[in-house]
Amino acid sequence: SEWALADDLEAKITAADRYFKDWGSAAKFVPPVDFGYELPSKGVPEIAVAGRSNVGKSSLLAALLGRSKGLVRTSKTPGCTSSANYFTL
């Protein structure tokens, strides 16, 4: 039913929130050179954030990780990111 789906969604949101609160402080930037400019190996869960320039992708990541300073760089200038950025948790 629609209510069962809502309850399941709420549980998933709660679990995700707990995960990011528990592990967000351990997040680290991984330079692309560390894995030969290839995509990370299989078997590691991945989250992709895509969107137009200057819409808040980096701010979203910082909010999820609970890290407003130091890990994720943000800019008021559109189009500053020129490559994919990878982080580990």
Side-chain angles (χ1 to χ4, degrees):
S1 81
E2 189 173 308
W3 289 107
L5 178 61
D7 291 341
D8 188 42
L9 179 61
E10 185 67 31
K12 289 177 182 177
I13 291 171
T14 300
D17 184 53
R18 187 177 323 115
Y19 179 83
F20 283 115
K21 284 182 179 174
D22 289 348
W23 295 101
S25 62
K28 294 180 183 173
F29 173 72
V30 180
V33 70
D34 284 3
F35 44 87
Y37 294 92
E38 298 291 327
L39 293 174
S41 62
K42 293 181 181 179
V44 178
E46 298 177 37
I47 298 173
V49 179
R52 297 176 65 103
S53 294
N54 226 38
V55 296
K57 297 177 295 291
S58 294
S59 297
L60 171 64
L61 184 58
L64 285 171
L65 298 174
R67 308 268 300 267
S68 60
K69 301 283 183 201
L71 180 66
V72 181
R73 294 181 185 189
T74 58
S75 171
K76 292 183 181 190
T77 306
C80 281
T81 305
S82 58
S83 65
N85 291 317
Y86 297 94
F87 301 89
T88 62
L89 285 180

